[in-house]
Amino acid sequence: MTLDLAAAGQPAVPAAEAVQALLRQRIMEGLLLPGARLVDQALAEEFGVSRNTVRDALRLLAADGLVVSVRNAGSSVRTLTSADIHDIYTARRLLETGAILQSAGATDAMLEAVDRAASASEQHVLSGDWGKVGTASLAFHQAVVRLARSARVDEFFNNLAAQLRLAFAVMPDESAFQVRWVGRDRQIADLILAGRRDEATALMNDYLNESETQIIDGVRAAERARR
Amino acid sequence: MTLDLAAAGQPAVPAAEAVQALLRQRIMEGLLLPGARLVDQALAEEFGVSRNTVRDALRLLAADGLVVSVRNAGSSVRTLTSADIHDIYTARRLLETGAILQSAGATDAMLEAVDRAASASEQHVLSGDWGKVGTASLAFHQAVVRLARSARVDEFFNNLAAQLRLAFAVMPDESAFQVRWVGRDRQIADLILAGRRDEATALMNDYLNESETQIIDGVRAAERARR
DNA sequence: TTGACACGATTGTTCAACAATCTGTAGATT
DNA sequence: AATCTACAGATTGTTGAACAATCGTGTCAA
């Protein structure tokens, strides 16, 4: 297969960015699991581009923390350790609680986005559309972080979320994991909209602490299963 | 000049990383000012490496936000706008106040690092070593952020600090700017060490708000001078 | 069983040529 | 004088093949 860069009506992106996007999508969708080798010669042949183009893409993914490279030994999809997950959740608590505390200055549109995202999570649970619950929950957390009103913070958070996706890739049953939190999305959104920020941050901290524990448990279980 | 990769006793780094480090250092030291063109052919000749090696380096710097590239038109050192500075300071407030609030769980070594960094700033002022005051103040803020205990947050903060350096590059007199804050480094450190976190975050917010205003004023003055 | 060595795998780098896009300038037109 | 268009030069983006450097694994000998 070669890259189809000239999709209908879309401006062409540089080939390296297209390869990066494709690889990122495969990682996000679990088609490339943590530890999967990424050999630049093989990918170049698969995508019908040169090795240097694939190198560019892999380097960008490495900068995002999704890929690790060892000099002259190869690249692979990152495998998150328990320490990584703890680090990511420490960062999440900082960003999400900080953003909630800053929400007094947020626009109505930002607050409505938080509300909508919480409602979307609930809706997907009601309709049994488990595949979308995780995505909707992520959208909720993204909307919360946007309350901080910093594009750089938004990008950092999205990067953390992408890395966190790597943990889900090795866990057995994501939907069982997600269902616990949706009710809390709604609770936290209601507290934020009511201006009860201290309560909202306390609940968000609890939420993230429990979520971290569950994911670390899941990742450890997966590690044991691998041995 | 070509790269001297085999410095005494040091393991060689890949040429692309060496080029990246050299360019980053030039940017940090103001030898490459915002807006300066970075032409990959010229840099390849200067460093005695291939264009692809320079491309790798420039791409990493672009990922860090220090360089901007336009497809087929060229790369240059980023010029920060007032909106960029506001965004960076919004992120700083989130990180630094959040880290202070988390400092109850910090180690003694981390708290001592905050104390030492504040003392180093004072020491440089007393000895009139203005060139080091900025560096020491940055070390103080880095020590504060480390109280959050997340490597990813540390890296994000260091990246913000590197970008912020670009604003200083266009301001006339950095030492006059820096002297205002050193006393506050000490005050904030003392409050953190005393466990008076709410006071410390309030003072840090004031500090960063004023610092932001001054830098935006300085950058706008530089913009007017350029026209 | 352990250590050393060799070999294969893979990345890192090179080079020169060519493609693609951007920008600036010059000339034409209004 | 201002605006628009076209073109040329500048610069990045990509290519492919060859070679260098390093890593990891397997084998053999002690």
Side-chain angles (χ1 to χ4, degrees):
Chain A
M1 153 249 220
T2 60
L3 293 176
D4 182 4
L5 294 176
Q10 285 177 349
V13 297
E17 288 177 31
V19 171
Q20 177 200 6
L22 279 164
L23 290 174
R24 172 187 273 271
Q25 184 178 353
R26 287 184 186 179
I27 295 171
M28 291 298 107
E29 290 175 3
L31 299 175
L32 282 170
L33 292 176
R37 303 273 285 162
L38 299 163
V39 179
D40 64 40
Q41 175 64 42
L43 291 168
E45 286 171 11
E46 181 189 346
F47 292 127
V49 296
S50 83
R51 276 184 60 216
N52 275 318
T53 302
V54 175
R55 267 179 71 76
D56 280 350
L58 290 178
R59 196 174 282 275
L60 290 173
L61 292 167
D64 280 348
L66 295 177
V67 158
V68 289
S69 292
V70 177
R71 187 178 183 188
N72 298 113
S75 300
S76 51
V77 180
R78 179 187 288 265
T79 301
L80 291 185
T81 63
S82 304
D84 284 321
I85 294 166
H86 180 64
D87 196 82
I88 290 169
Y89 269 87
T90 302
R92 283 191 68 181
R93 283 188 284 270
L94 200 76
L95 299 183
E96 300 196 46
T97 59
I100 292 172
L101 292 175
Q102 294 292 330
S103 63
T107 65
D108 285 345
M110 289 172 172
L111 295 169
E112 282 158 13
V114 170
D115 190 27
R116 272 200 310 282
S119 296
S121 290
E122 291 178 306
Q123 206 53 41
H124 292 318
V125 170
L126 288 175
S127 61
D129 200 343
W130 294 107
K132 291 180 174 173
V133 173
T135 303
S137 186
L138 170 63
F140 169 73
H141 291 281
Q142 284 174 320
V144 169
V145 169
R146 276 197 287 272
L147 296 173
R149 283 154 283 141
S150 162
R152 285 165 176 77
V153 168
D154 290 345
E155 186 182 355
F156 178 46
F157 178 79
N158 288 342
N159 196 256
L160 294 173
Q163 291 185 39
L164 199 52
R165 188 101 205 119
L166 299 174
F168 286 118
V170 302
M171 286 170 64
D173 186 8
E174 184 176 343
S175 64
F177 171 81
Q178 294 288 3
V179 65
R180 305 164 184 277
W181 314 116
V182 166
R184 305 240 212 152
D185 289 0
R186 169 49 53 203
Q187 282 180 313
I188 293 170
D190 288 344
L191 288 169
I192 294 173
L193 270 62
R196 293 156 69 184
R197 284 180 277 282
D198 287 344
E199 291 171 74
T201 60
L203 192 51
M204 180 65 87
N205 260 316
D206 289 345
Y207 178 147
L208 294 174
N209 286 335
E210 290 173 42
S211 179
E212 173 186 353
T213 299
Q214 301 251 347
I215 291 185
I216 287 183
D217 286 347
V219 162
R220 280 181 170 152
E223 279 168 2
R224 286 194 293 275
R226 243 193 331 271
R227 292 188 191 126
Chain B
M1 153 250 218
T2 60
L3 294 174
D4 181 5
L5 295 175
Q10 285 177 347
V13 297
E17 287 176 33
V19 170
Q20 178 201 5
L22 278 165
L23 290 174
R24 170 187 274 271
Q25 184 178 353
R26 288 184 187 180
I27 295 172
M28 292 298 106
E29 290 175 3
L31 299 175
L32 281 170
L33 293 175
R37 303 274 283 159
L38 299 163
V39 179
D40 64 41
Q41 176 64 40
L43 291 169
E45 287 170 10
E46 181 190 346
F47 293 126
V49 297
S50 82
R51 277 184 58 214
N52 277 320
T53 302
V54 174
R55 268 179 71 74
D56 279 350
L58 289 177
R59 196 173 283 276
L60 289 172
L61 291 167
D64 279 348
L66 295 177
V67 157
V68 289
S69 292
V70 177
R71 187 178 184 187
N72 298 113
S75 299
S76 53
V77 180
R78 179 187 287 268
T79 302
L80 292 184
T81 62
S82 302
D84 284 322
I85 294 168
H86 180 63
D87 196 81
I88 290 169
Y89 269 88
T90 300
R92 283 191 69 178
R93 284 189 283 269
L94 200 75
L95 299 183
E96 299 197 47
T97 58
I100 291 172
L101 293 175
Q102 293 293 328
S103 63
T107 65
D108 285 344
M110 290 174 172
L111 295 169
E112 282 157 14
V114 171
D115 190 27
R116 272 200 311 279
S119 298
S121 290
E122 291 177 308
Q123 206 54 41
H124 292 317
V125 169
L126 288 175
S127 61
D129 201 344
W130 293 107
K132 291 181 172 172
V133 174
T135 302
S137 185
L138 170 63
F140 169 73
H141 291 280
Q142 285 174 319
V144 169
V145 170
R146 276 199 287 274
L147 296 173
R149 283 153 284 143
S150 164
R152 284 162 176 78
V153 168
D154 291 344
E155 186 181 353
F156 178 47
F157 177 79
N158 288 341
N159 195 257
L160 295 174
Q163 291 184 39
L164 199 51
R165 187 100 207 120
L166 299 174
F168 286 119
V170 301
M171 286 169 67
D173 185 9
E174 182 175 343
S175 64
F177 170 83
Q178 295 286 4
V179 65
R180 307 164 183 277
W181 314 116
V182 167
R184 304 237 215 158
D185 289 1
R186 170 47 53 203
Q187 283 179 313
I188 293 170
D190 287 343
L191 289 169
I192 292 173
L193 270 62
R196 293 155 71 183
R197 285 181 274 281
D198 287 345
E199 291 172 74
T201 60
L203 192 50
M204 180 65 87
N205 261 318
D206 289 346
Y207 178 147
L208 294 174
N209 286 336
E210 290 174 40
S211 178
E212 173 185 353
T213 299
Q214 300 252 345
I215 292 185
I216 288 182
D217 286 349
V219 162
R220 279 182 171 153
E223 278 167 4
R224 285 193 292 275
R226 246 196 326 272
R227 294 192 191 122

